[in-house]
Amino acid sequence: MLDIDLHCHSNVSDGILTPAKLISRAAQRGVEMLALTDHDDVAGLDEARSAAFEKNITFINGVEISVSWRNRTIHILGLNIDPDYQPLFDGLAAIRAGRAQRAQNIAVELEKAGIGGSLEGAYAYVGERGLIGRTHFARYLVEKGYAKDTKSVFKKYLVKGKPGYTHHEWAALSEAITWIAGSGGRAVIAHPARYNLGKNVLNDLLDEFSALGGCALEVISASHTAQQVEIFAAHAKSRNLFASCGSDFHGPGESFYDLGRLPELPSGCVPVWHDWNTFQNN
Ligand code: AMP
Ligand code: MN
Ligand code: MN
Ligand code: MN
């Protein structure tokens, strides 16, 4: 069985490692096929692809797009995309502009809660591309002793109902899927168990996702329990959706799963990579 990981982050978004260092780590751990899926940006793909070529890792162009759907945030992975496809490229740029604005709003909210300097503090953790997210705020708040780790910061400050949370409108589901599919890629619902959708809402999401051209579910994810893996494998099978697997690795010490060595897809799932020309670097 190939060691495959189709979801991870570099410091182009909210990961810790540079794209090249991420690939080195993947190689050390025996990963044979990897997709880099930074949030809302494809800027790390060239560096990662060259590094992967050196290490004989099959590299898949990826991205994780932030989407608003029925007042919730959903993440849609684009796998095997063409990063130069203009509508995708422009759409991602617009989402990133929204992130900068949201960061200012988050800082205002944190200020109201008595936490000053968070915008500058968060930006100190942001990579060269300037993409800012809640994780960068979380790292700053850990640095300042507001919580013991980033997970605790999220719980205390950065999620709905907490002082540093602000509503933000991301891309529409239809936009994200259209950009991905239009670029020749496959749209995948990332970590579907994480949204805690009730049965009916989940069915609505899956209906709409499929109707718009989405074609896969991330069945294996660090966010999923063994039971959730089985549940989403069953959804994938009954709806003829492909199945994907990814660690969602962000950095040593910050993630539940390290790169690769993931559990196998349950039997009967059709892997999202089943017809990709593996062991060929593009
Ligand atoms: P953003 O896209 O800026 O809203 O940030 C979302 C990112 O925050 C996710 O991709 C995770 O990396 C991180 N994140 C979200 N929830 C948590 C949590 N409960 N604990 C730790 N990190 C989280
Ligand atoms: Mn993240
Ligand atoms: Mn995600
Ligand atoms: Mn992710």
Side-chain angles (χ1 to χ4, degrees), residues 82-243:
D82 171 4
D84 298 323
Y85 179 62
Q86 205 65 41
L88 172 66
F89 196 84
D90 294 345
L92 295 177
I95 300 176
R96 293 196 299 276
R99 278 185 172 278
Q101 182 59 54
R102 180 185 68 147
Q104 295 189 11
N105 300 341
I106 291 175
V108 168
E109 292 307 311
L110 288 172
E111 185 87 46
K112 286 184 200 160
I115 300 174
S118 71
L119 190 62
E120 298 71 25
Y123 267 109
Y125 287 93
V126 165
E128 284 168 22
R129 284 283 290 175
L131 184 143
I132 187 159
R134 285 183 294 165
T135 308
H136 303 108
F137 282 91
R139 290 180 189 141
Y140 171 71
L141 266 63
V142 171
E143 173 198 316
K144 289 294 171 193
Y146 289 102
K148 66 176 193 312
D149 55 24
T150 52
K151 217 174 174 53
S152 314
V153 179
F154 271 87
K155 244 186 165 155
K156 258 170 98 174
Y157 294 103
L158 299 177
V159 293
K160 226 177 215 170
K162 301 294 164 165
Y165 178 80
T166 59
H167 176 77
H168 187 71
E169 230 15 67
W170 302 102
L173 182 63
S174 57
E175 291 176 310
I177 296 174
T178 309
W179 301 332
I180 292 166
S183 86
R186 287 193 170 145
V188 184
I189 300 182
H191 41 64
R194 236 192 28 221
Y195 313 118
N196 292 316
L197 305 176
K199 206 171 162 212
N200 293 340
V201 180
L202 175 64
N203 277 324
D204 287 355
L205 174 64
L206 296 179
D207 286 347
E208 201 173 321
F209 175 73
S210 296
L212 290 165
C215 64
L217 297 182
E218 191 174 53
V219 169
I220 302 288
S221 162
S223 306
H224 290 181
T225 63
Q227 195 189 9
Q228 289 168 333
V229 167
E230 291 305 326
I231 291 171
F232 284 94
H235 283 296
K237 285 185 258 184
S238 70
R239 289 175 169 271
N240 289 318
L241 291 166
F242 300 131

Side-chain angles (χ1 to χ4, degrees), residues 1-83:
M1 200 194 87
L2 286 178
D3 194 319
I4 293 172
D5 191 338
L6 300 178
H7 185 162
C8 62
H9 298 270
S10 76
N11 69 348
V12 163
S13 63
D14 59 358
I16 304 261
L17 305 177
T18 63
K21 291 224 167 80
L22 184 81
I23 295 294
S24 292
R25 189 181 184 91
Q28 278 164 12
R29 291 181 53 83
V31 175
E32 291 161 289
M33 178 159 75
L34 178 136
L36 174 61
T37 55
D38 274 310
H39 297 285
D40 310 317
D41 207 345
V42 291
L45 297 181
D46 284 348
E47 181 183 321
R49 190 181 310 106
S50 313
F53 184 79
E54 295 295 319
K55 305 279 188 189
N56 214 16
I57 292 176
T58 299
F59 186 73
I60 304 296
N61 288 320
V63 67
E64 181 173 17
I65 303 184
S66 310
V67 158
S68 292
W69 181 80
R70 292 198 185 172
N71 219 17
R72 303 160 201 272
T73 300
I74 305 277
H75 287 171
I76 301 293
L77 296 168
L79 296 180
N80 222 2
I81 50 165
D82 171 4

